[in-house]
Amino acid sequence: MPPTPLDPTEQADVCAEIGGVLAGGLPEGWAKATLRWSDLVSSGSMASLAVMDADGGSLTAAGIPKGIDDLCRRLRAGMYSEALGTWYTLTYTLVPERYSADYDYDHEPEAPSFTPEHYARDLTYFPRAEEHVPDWLRRKLDGLPNVYGAVYRRFDAGGDGGPTPSLGEVADTLAEAGWDTRPDDRFRGELAFSTDWARLGTLSDPHLIRFSGQVEPERWEELHALLNGFGWNVGMSCYAPRGGDVVREFPPPRGTDG
């Protein structure tokens, strides 16, 4: 569960601490500093710091002072509410002896490293009412895979290992079975394959072909049986919507070497 909320006085105390730590790391002659800080649970933070002198000129700061991340995370957790969730981005403006803080609950952070999986974990930790889930976030969550699987190399009790099919063999076999197969635009050299009830893509290495995507839940068992019916050694994990918990496991029918 999210931590106990901070009351307004406690929030102000944390904001004052942020100002003190920030001021201690600013260059001589500063007149205004603007910290922009975004974070998701388990993703790591993204931050920028702009510093200006009294004439509006830009100054170079040494970086984000140590301690800022911990204070901002404490503030973000402490401002959580059941309906609104918590904010994604803090814009903190500091001038001598005064600060202002703006909290953005609704817009996507300018953080390319934040993945849909990161947003899903963050929403699990800081849930919010459906009417307060922004459209951009809803699109990310609704696009998350509900199936992750792999085509494993076979490994039997005698120690003999069967080959893993190549991506070309996978593409040809699925095409013959009526699936649409094509190069995956997201990852060079990978495969996208789909039918009217499943959309999947691969991420492979020489000994393992991983795949993930969205499959109609009532067809999970059918997909597992189909892929293993080609003579492959396939295991799958199936998840609740929007990056939820595992709800069903399909282990590979033959042993694996990993």
Side-chain angles (χ1 to χ4, degrees), residues 48-66:
S48 64
L49 178 61
V51 185
M52 301 176 68
D53 61 23
D55 297 323
S58 179
L59 298 176
T60 300
I64 308 298
K66 183 178 180 180

Side-chain angles (χ1 to χ4, degrees), residues 133-192:
V133 176
D135 289 342
W136 62 266
L137 179 56
R138 190 175 289 110
R139 288 191 295 270
K140 286 181 182 292
L141 298 176
D142 289 345
L144 278 171
N146 66 349
V147 168
Y148 293 84
V151 182
Y152 296 94
R153 180 172 176 262
R154 299 180 190 177
F155 187 73
D156 60 29
D160 296 325
T164 301
S166 68
L167 279 178
E169 291 170 330
V170 170
D172 291 344
T173 301
L174 289 169
E176 290 175 5
W179 288 61
D180 176 59
T181 63
R182 63 189 186 282
D184 193 329
D185 295 336
R186 300 170 302 166
F187 304 108
R188 185 176 180 181
E190 296 296 336
L191 173 69

